[in-house]
Amino acid sequence: GYTSIVGAGTNATILHYIENVAAIADGDLVLVDAGGEVAGYTADITRTWPANGRFSPTQRHAYELVLAVQKSAIDLVRPGATLEQIHNHCVRGLTAAMIELGLLSGLVDDRIADQSFRKFYMHGTSHWLGLDVHDVGPYLMNGAARPLEPGMVITVEPGLYVAADPSVPSALHGIGIRIEDDILVTADGYRNLTAGCPKEVAELEAICTNAD
């Protein structure tokens, strides 16, 4: 449905990396953002996994923090909720994760207020999905965030991106993680349209091992 984004190592920290000129190295995380298209409607899904089949302890810790934020954000999807609420939830969860990992220090509220979290999470959490990967539709109504309604389809895609930077722990350099699912708003909550694509650590490692 769109140009695939495939980045490994430091290239996974580049949001729309499409050059595909670097070899994947042992120990890299591989980030693939690629969605198929059926009958004119596009998917938009991202998964991240270890190139060598096993997350390092630091990679696993970071990945599980992002995954927990993503899963809790998906659980917020229901009629009446807003993309703003979902994004703010992810910003809070990811900022706490950054502090836990040593990327930031201090209090979560302070790091949100000074926007320092944006160094490692610089994009929105959700967008409309449909005939286009970033489908048309207003995000605001009467100056306020538009409430979700049954039948809408959105993405939920928190991420963590750590380029090589002497100010952060070296074990985190080159870690790029995004986990993205396509979520249909239903009358009583949501349906995860991409739930069949594995994202748990054990599932990913088992798939990589079996592929060998």
Side-chain angles (χ1 to χ4, degrees):
Y2 54 96
T3 301
S4 297
I5 298 165
V6 183
T10 300
N11 289 329
T13 71
I14 301 170
L15 292 187
H16 295 101
Y17 175 78
I18 58 173
E19 280 75 13
N20 300 324
V21 295
I24 298 172
D26 184 21
D28 281 350
L29 290 180
V30 180
L31 184 156
V32 175
D33 186 332
E37 185 176 275
V38 177
Y41 287 85
T42 185
D44 186 5
I45 183 170
T46 307
R47 291 293 186 264
T48 308
W49 65 87
N52 62 14
R54 289 288 182 269
F55 289 92
S56 72
T58 300
Q59 290 171 343
R60 181 180 184 129
H61 187 195
Y63 183 90
E64 288 183 331
L65 289 171
V66 176
L67 179 61
V69 170
Q70 198 241 8
K71 290 162 73 173
S72 63
I74 290 173
D75 284 339
L76 297 178
V77 177
R78 61 180 57 86
T82 67
L83 300 188
E84 180 180 56
Q85 291 169 344
I86 294 167
H87 177 66
N88 290 341
H89 172 85
C90 287
V91 165
R92 177 163 293 277
L94 290 171
T95 302
M98 294 169 199
I99 293 172
E100 183 173 333
L101 291 166
L103 294 169
L104 299 176
S105 60
L107 301 176
V108 171
D109 286 341
D110 292 341
R111 299 294 75 80
I112 293 174
D114 67 15
Q115 299 281 292
S116 55
F117 71 89
R118 290 185 59 83
K119 182 175 181 179
F120 308 106
Y121 180 53
M122 64 294 293
H123 61 79
T125 301
S126 302
H127 58 77
W128 308 126
L129 184 64
L131 292 172
D132 197 354
V133 66
H134 285 259
D135 210 17
V136 297
Y139 288 87
L140 299 175
M141 295 184 68
N142 300 318
R146 183 180 182 181
L148 296 178
E149 302 175 19
M152 291 177 171
V153 180
I154 64 170
T155 64
V156 177
E157 49 181 306
L160 184 68
Y161 313 94
V162 188
D165 187 322
S167 69
V168 301
S170 59
L172 292 165
H173 289 182
I175 287 183
I177 298 167
R178 184 164 64 254
I179 309 169
E180 177 183 21
D181 283 298
D182 302 343
I183 309 299
L184 168 67
V185 184
T186 64
D188 57 357
Y190 69 88
R191 177 185 171 195
N192 187 340
L193 301 177
T194 46
C197 189
K199 61 183 178 182
E200 300 292 338
V201 167
E203 295 175 320
L204 295 173
E205 291 186 339
I207 291 170
C208 292
T209 301
N210 291 337
D212 293 339

